[in-house]
Amino acid sequence: MSIRNGVIKIANEYLEAKTQPLRAHPLAAFIRDALPKEIGHAVNRTGDEQQLIVQGTKLPGNWASVPWIGIMDTRLTDSIQRGIYVVLLFAEDMRTVFFSLAMGVQNTSRRTQASWLRQIPNDFPPPEGFATGPLPSGSLAAQGIGARYEQAVVYFKKYPRTELPDEIKLEADLLVICNLLRRIGDSGQYRIANADEQPEVISITIQGRDFQFSADDVEHAFAKTTEPQWKDRPGVEPYWHVIVGDESKPVKAVFRNLPGVSEGFDFTKDAAARAFERLSFEIINIKQDPMVGELCLLGTWTDVDEEDAVQVRAAIASKSAWASWWSFPIREEFHSKLQQPFYFYVNAGKQSFPFRMKVEQFQTSRGNEGMASPWPEITDAECVGKLRAGPKNSEVFKTWLYVTEFESLAPPLTLDSFDPALGSKRTALLNQSAFGYAYRKNSVANELAQHPQIPLNLILYGPPGTGKTHWMRQKFADYTNEPSDVDHETWIQELLTNYGWRPVIAASLAELKHPARVPEIRDHPWVQAKTKQRGRTAAAVHATLWGYLQEHTPETVPAVKTSIRRPPFIFSKRGSGEWELQPDWQELDEESAELARLLQAGPSGAMEPIRRYRVVTFHPSFSYEDFIRGIRPVATTEDGSTQFRIVDGVFKQICDEARANPSKRYALFIDEINRSNIAKVFGELITLIEPDKRAVFDAKGRLIKGMTVQLPGSEGADVAEPPFGVPANLDIFGTMNTADRSIALLDIALRRRFDFQEMEPNYTVLDRLVGNVHLGALLRRLNDRLEYLLDRDHRIGHAYLIPVDSLANLRRAFSMQIIPLLQEYFFDDMGRVAMILATSPKTPPFVEYERLSHGQLFPGTRAKGLPLERSRYLVGLESSWTEESFLGVYELPAGSVEEEGEPA
């Protein structure tokens, strides 16, 4: 097989293969052996002095999210996990393939990666047609090991699956990048042994305890982990594995063998997994995907109605089952996935699915011969013993279903109620001459199967300027979609998140195009979507709709009697009880008009991306009422008085949104999480944010897992409000500035419920000169002095110097940002600030010292108790600081500031 055909085979078959057991799968063997062997023949020609080693993804225990074929020069590396090599990378969605020169992410330190990403382009320009890396974020995968591969790519060439060149061109591109690999090997400069490799050490806090681990620690712990340590041991969770080399072992068993982890220490699988992932080890779930048990069939029965349903139910009642025939076969690859019993959803036309059948067994055949019913005792008399119902191809009996239930669905399901199975297109679900293969949305097993991630509770901590907020902004992309990337139902859910009840009611009335009573408005799909998004019951929403309709009706409407009215006045009520919109409602309420326009246009007309996250900043006066729920004043227009209402806070709002759309992940980002009283802000919900207490609901909103509480303000309501739980698909991220408050002083309840990731000053990003001043060395010396005089929490982050590109900007950064920060650190003790900024005595100082004498300042005799002299420090003139002033900070000879400080 050619390389091109091999790439196409993987791209076409991989997603389908991932739904099947890995062991002995032919595609797995093809990736491991067959294609690497074919590539080896192509890149190693007779006479080549240096033969290259080709290796495919090992697939230990489970399918990889991003499969690859690696090509190695043994002078540069002996493993795909470290050093430089050529690699064919397949994007997670299999739509794109990359030929690239890259570095191993698992055992190549970030410092070496950053250094080589700068040096290689200087020594070896990119081959013609290849772009310079790294890959754009999201090219391979949204998260996980695939996302880390993107940052380690030096050069790459991108091939959309549908635009692959011919074999000659593809092989020529491969030889070009492999020849570059050989030239790098010839240079002798980039061998992994030559790298100044310091094992990367991460700091992590779990259950209030601090740990530090390196990749070497993980490899040693992995080697010590034996099967008796996890087999049949309670609490080990044997399906979640960490991959080291070509093997995988349970996460919790390996973590238990890390240095410093005591035998009785209690930790979760998720905390251990995050530690491994931060060191670039991949985590996999080796249990077979539970989605298989939720696969269902779709088929068209045109114009089926309730009368047909009554006849079928009567047959089932009399014979315990009914045989249903269909004129097309069930595809062979889905036979084993349709785990019986399964559901068959009946398409009555116009994308409406008003019925479903429960199928206990099936028999199917191919060809046009047909087959007799295998269950004559439950088959309609006119079909017993026959192969077809008539002469047409659409009357051949090719599939028989053993049906035990025939259920009406009210309201009927739509196409948006299903996700197509892998290997089946969305449009094929409505095919009238073939079965559709799909998964029901909101099926609990389906949701848990598609989104098995345990919620993240993560706090980033570190000194100011270390990139915590920047990291948070980058993370927004994980919770953002373009409107075209989601189904219609999800798009509506996310769009309505940004609008209150008034615009939704107005848009629904505009879409109805006729006056309507409250029950009809309540049953409108857009109002139902808002109801679901807010986690409300139909009865509770009925009262809400009445309230908003009356409040936004002008006093001139006699049919409405209320003391609370608020603009805009866009509704009107007829004497017969129907509600309608005012003629000029669009001019009066631009927000409602905008929502109506967006909903009518659909996802194709939307411009704004869908954001599944909220951002909030904590501060000393931030409270439970702001965060969860509180009573807030609402002004009225009748007499200028103020009414009070219970208003949901940002956390309650994002929880409601996540609960309404369990197939997507949501996030709450909390900046400066340590600046408020955590116990008061979270209240009783501090327990509910724990991963194992998170709530999982079924399609009808019933709790099936986790904990809930009754929120304040809901007990005495006219209509009962459902208990509140923090959804399992909500991630919580926080940032905290350790210069304000040490992590050690945080509420112990919060520390136990969050993982902590330290953000330290990154000197690598400042590895450059401004004039003759090396920014990284300058910042490192300042931080070493700060850590000596204070502690590691009061260092200075790299962000202050990243924009610096000239001596003038460096002076400004010191004058406007760094020196004021130091004054804050030392509570205006300028003597200490002078020690931090001490430079060569031959250069203009940053902080100048002068003496104040009583005799020079005051006439006459010095009063008793007044000092003869007093010293003071002044920040020097910014314009006087030279390159030598900055150089002197980190080039100052040792001991030259030993006696500096208060003069004698």
Side-chain angles (χ1 to χ4, degrees):
M1 180 180 288
S2 67
I3 296 174
R4 183 179 188 276
N5 289 340
V7 169
I8 292 173
K9 177 180 176 67
I10 295 174
N12 287 342
E13 299 178 15
Y14 194 78
L15 294 179
E16 174 69 18
K18 286 176 70 175
T19 68
Q20 302 167 9
L22 173 65
R23 184 171 297 178
H25 196 288
L27 188 64
F30 181 79
I31 295 171
R32 291 191 193 106
D33 305 314
L35 186 57
K37 186 178 296 184
E38 186 65 33
I39 292 174
H41 292 323
V43 300
N44 290 312
R45 304 292 174 84
T46 304
D48 285 341
E49 185 174 336
Q50 180 63 35
Q51 297 288 300
L52 302 178
I53 306 299
V54 185
Q55 176 183 311
T57 314
K58 292 300 183 182
L59 302 174
N62 203 4
W63 296 96
S65 59
V66 176
W68 47 262
I69 308 292
I71 305 171
M72 294 173 287
D73 184 326
T74 54
R75 297 171 299 177
L76 296 172
T77 185
D78 55 2
S79 167
I80 208 75
Q81 299 164 8
R82 55 190 245 144
I84 300 173
Y85 52 84
V86 168
V87 62
L88 280 67
L89 289 166
F90 293 80
E92 190 173 32
D93 61 7
M94 294 294 124
R95 294 180 180 178
T96 315
V97 183
F98 297 88
F99 283 7
S100 62
L101 180 74
M103 290 174 284
V105 298
Q106 195 157 295
N107 291 334
T108 307
S109 73
R110 286 185 173 88
R111 183 172 64 178
T112 297
Q113 289 181 34
S115 173
W116 285 357
L117 280 171
R118 291 192 307 272
Q119 294 174 19
I120 291 176
N122 292 331
D123 297 338
F124 302 94
E128 185 177 353
F130 281 76
T132 301
L135 289 175
S137 178
S139 297
L140 294 176
Q143 57 187 0
I145 194 73
R148 292 192 286 276
Y149 286 156
E150 296 166 354
Q151 301 305 308
V153 170
V154 184
Y155 298 131
F156 68 91
K157 192 163 189 178
K158 176 180 176 180
Y159 307 93
R161 182 179 65 181
T162 57
E163 300 174 19
L164 276 177
D166 60 30
E167 178 70 11
I168 295 175
K169 174 61 177 170
L170 205 63
E171 189 172 312
D173 288 342
L174 188 58
L175 288 175
V176 165
I177 196 69
C178 286
N179 288 337
L180 174 61
L181 183 69
R182 286 190 172 97
R183 286 178 18 234
I184 294 173
D186 293 339
S187 72
Q189 298 179 45
Y190 295 95
R191 297 179 182 179
I192 196 71
N194 295 346
D196 182 17
E197 288 293 293
Q198 297 289 332
E200 181 181 3
V201 177
I202 63 160
S203 300
I204 189 168
T205 301
I206 301 174
Q207 297 290 68
R209 288 188 54 184
D210 298 328
F211 297 95
Q212 289 190 328
F213 304 125
S214 68
D216 289 344
D217 293 330
V218 175
E219 292 180 0
H220 293 152
F222 190 90
K224 289 167 56 179
T225 304
T226 58
E227 188 171 335
Q229 294 176 348
W230 77 77
K231 189 173 183 180
D232 300 326
R233 293 280 297 274
V236 173
E237 300 185 61
Y239 296 118
W240 288 95
H241 281 215
V242 56
I243 298 176
V244 176
D246 298 335
E247 296 183 73
S248 71
K249 295 178 182 178
V251 164
K252 292 188 75 172
V254 175
F255 191 88
R256 182 71 68 192
N257 286 321
L258 285 170
V261 181
S262 59
E263 184 174 346
F265 178 63
D266 184 30
F267 60 94
T268 66
K269 174 267 299 179
D270 307 289
R274 280 194 283 277
F276 294 140
E277 287 177 332
R278 285 182 57 194
L279 288 167
S280 299
F281 292 93
E282 186 169 6
I283 307 299
I284 61 172
N285 182 356
I286 65 170
K287 188 174 182 179
Q288 188 168 349
D289 193 344
M291 276 181 67
V292 171
E294 290 295 311
L295 182 69
C296 57
L297 282 184
L298 279 62
T300 300
W301 181 349
T302 306
D303 298 328
V304 62
D305 56 21
E306 195 61 39
E307 185 177 336
D308 297 312
V310 170
Q311 294 178 11
V312 173
R313 293 189 192 110
I316 294 174
S318 64
K319 301 177 182 178
S320 299
W322 173 66
S324 173
W325 67 266
W326 296 81
S327 61
F328 27 86
I330 296 175
R331 285 164 52 181
E332 186 174 353
E333 62 266 33
F334 289 105
H335 287 188
S336 60
K337 299 174 190 175
L338 286 166
Q339 296 186 0
Q340 295 135 38
F342 61 85
Y343 280 111
F344 183 107
Y345 290 86
V346 181
N347 175 18
K350 299 181 180 180
Q351 300 189 17
S352 175
F353 295 81
F355 303 103
R356 73 175 180 181
M357 305 186 294
K358 187 174 183 180
V359 179
E360 300 286 345
Q361 303 177 52
F362 69 87
Q363 293 286 333
T364 190
S365 66
R366 305 192 69 84
N368 293 321
E369 183 178 346
M371 62 182 296
S373 170
W375 311 292
E377 67 281 1
I378 61 170
T379 304
D380 293 340
E382 64 271 20
C383 297
V384 174
K386 295 183 178 180
L387 303 180
R388 58 173 64 222
K392 300 178 181 178
N393 287 337
S394 60
E395 296 175 312
V396 177
F397 302 158
K398 294 184 180 180
T399 297
W400 286 92
L401 307 177
Y402 191 101
V403 178
T404 56
E405 293 179 11
F406 197 94
E407 179 183 355
S408 298
L409 303 175
L413 301 181
T414 67
L415 184 59
D416 286 337
S417 304
F418 301 93
D419 280 325
L422 294 174
S424 181
K425 295 181 179 179
R426 178 178 166 84
T427 53
L429 300 184
L430 299 176
N431 193 336
Q432 296 191 23
S433 58
F435 289 119
Y437 306 88
Y439 300 99
R440 262 293 303 278
K441 289 182 182 176
N442 296 327
S443 161
V444 173
N446 189 17
E447 289 162 15
L448 297 179
Q450 293 187 68
H451 305 276
Q453 307 102 312
I454 300 300
L456 289 171
N457 290 341
L458 178 65
I459 291 178
L460 305 173
Y461 70 96
T466 49
K468 300 179 291 295
T469 303
H470 174 74
W471 182 95
M472 190 168 69
R473 289 198 191 103
Q474 297 292 105
K475 197 70 177 173
F476 290 169
D478 292 347
Y479 302 91
T480 305
N481 286 109
E482 292 301 319
S484 57
D485 293 340
V486 299
D487 60 71
H488 192 265
E489 181 183 355
T490 298
W491 174 77
I492 289 179
Q493 288 282 351
E494 301 302 333
L495 176 63
L496 296 186
T497 295
N498 304 313
Y499 294 88
W501 281 106
R502 187 195 73 252
V504 174
I505 297 168
S508 301
L509 274 171
E511 202 271 338
L512 285 173
K513 294 184 174 64
H514 62 78
R517 293 180 178 271
V518 171
E520 186 179 359
I521 299 172
R522 182 195 63 202
D523 293 338
H524 190 281
W526 297 343
V527 174
Q528 288 184 336
K530 184 67 177 177
T531 302
K532 181 180 178 184
Q533 178 240 313
R534 295 301 299 271
R536 305 286 293 279
T537 64
V541 167
H542 193 97
T544 300
L545 298 178
W546 266 107
Y548 276 92
L549 286 164
Q550 293 184 98
E551 286 179 15
H552 296 284
T553 298
E555 298 177 13
T556 55
V557 177
V560 175
K561 305 294 184 183
T562 181
S563 61
I564 302 176
R565 298 182 193 269
R566 292 187 295 158
F569 300 117
I570 60 173
F571 301 124
S572 183
K573 186 181 182 183
R574 296 185 173 185
S576 56
E578 293 94 354
W579 292 90
E580 60 187 348
L581 291 164
Q582 295 281 0
D584 56 347
W585 71 276
Q586 296 186 64
E587 289 75 25
L588 293 171
D589 189 356
E590 294 182 0
E591 183 184 18
S592 296
E594 178 191 49
L595 176 60
R597 179 185 59 78
L598 291 173
L599 287 167
Q600 292 288 352
S604 59
M607 302 297 293
E608 290 294 318
I610 293 172
R611 297 180 177 90
R612 303 187 312 279
Y613 64 87
R614 296 288 182 95
V615 182
V616 63
T617 300
F618 279 7
H619 49 79
S621 61
F622 200 78
S623 66
Y624 180 96
E625 289 75 15
D626 300 308
F627 195 56
I628 311 295
R629 168 178 279 178
I631 298 175
R632 291 291 179 262
V634 176
T636 68
T637 60
E638 178 117 344
D639 55 7
S641 63
T642 299
Q643 302 285 334
F644 289 88
R645 282 187 177 170
I646 294 177
V647 178
D648 290 341
V650 62
F651 186 65
K652 173 67 162 53
Q653 292 171 17
I654 192 68
C655 285
D656 286 342
E657 293 166 24
R659 175 176 177 170
N661 192 11
S663 64
K664 297 288 185 181
R665 298 208 68 77
Y666 287 72
L668 176 66
F669 295 92
I670 306 173
D671 203 15
E672 305 286 0
I673 193 171
N674 56 318
R675 295 193 66 235
S676 65
N677 187 322
I678 298 297
K680 287 186 176 180
V681 170
F682 276 89
E684 70 272 35
L685 303 190
I686 193 70
T687 298
L688 270 60
I689 66 174
E690 294 182 40
D692 61 343
K693 306 294 191 306
R694 294 297 189 91
V696 178
F697 301 90
D698 66 12
K700 296 182 179 179
R702 295 172 300 200
L703 182 73
I704 62 170
K705 180 182 177 184
M707 287 179 59
T708 60
V709 298
Q710 202 72 39
L711 289 180
S714 59
E715 299 90 341
D718 294 335
V719 181
E721 181 177 295
F724 175 78
V726 180
N729 59 320
L730 175 67
D731 299 325
I732 304 174
F733 299 97
T735 68
M736 62 172 287
N737 189 336
T738 53
D740 295 333
R741 187 182 189 189
S742 170
I743 187 175
L745 300 177
L746 271 185
D747 188 299
I748 192 65
L750 186 73
R751 293 193 68 189
R752 286 191 292 108
R753 289 168 171 86
F754 278 81
D755 293 333
F756 288 80
Q757 178 176 326
E758 186 174 17
M759 302 287 282
E760 298 191 78
N762 184 352
Y763 305 111
T764 304
V765 299
L766 298 177
D767 186 12
R768 55 189 171 88
L769 297 174
V770 171
N772 293 314
V773 180
H774 191 282
L775 297 181
L778 174 64
L779 184 64
R780 186 185 293 273
R781 175 55 61 89
L782 293 178
N783 282 335
D784 288 345
R785 291 175 177 177
L786 283 167
E787 198 164 352
Y788 177 84
L789 291 178
L790 291 172
D791 51 54
R792 63 187 288 107
D793 290 338
H794 288 80
R795 291 176 291 171
I796 300 171
H798 51 273
Y800 290 101
L801 297 182
I802 283 180
V804 170
D805 57 4
S806 66
L807 179 61
N809 286 341
L810 182 59
R811 289 170 175 161
R812 191 171 300 111
F814 265 63
S815 174
M816 305 298 291
Q817 296 178 301
I818 291 178
I819 291 178
L821 182 63
L822 293 175
Q823 290 175 289
E824 183 182 331
Y825 280 179
F826 290 103
F827 302 97
D828 285 325
D829 184 345
M830 293 301 294
R832 294 285 179 162
V833 175
M835 292 180 67
I836 298 297
L837 298 174
T839 183
S840 169
K842 299 179 181 179
T843 63
F846 295 96
V847 179
E848 299 174 351
Y849 165 79
E850 64 178 38
R851 296 178 186 271
L852 298 176
S853 169
H854 182 280
Q856 294 174 340
L857 297 173
F858 304 100
T861 307
R862 177 169 53 95
K864 186 177 181 180
L866 291 177
L868 181 62
E869 289 184 336
R870 186 183 294 274
S871 58
R872 73 173 175 185
Y873 292 89
L874 299 171
V875 177
L877 288 175
E878 178 183 323
S879 58
S880 70
W881 302 335
T882 64
E883 281 191 1
E884 288 71 24
S885 301
F886 294 99
L887 286 168
V889 172
Y890 61 90
E891 293 183 349
L892 194 63
S896 61
V897 295
E898 187 71 30
E899 302 300 326
E900 191 168 332
E902 291 282 347

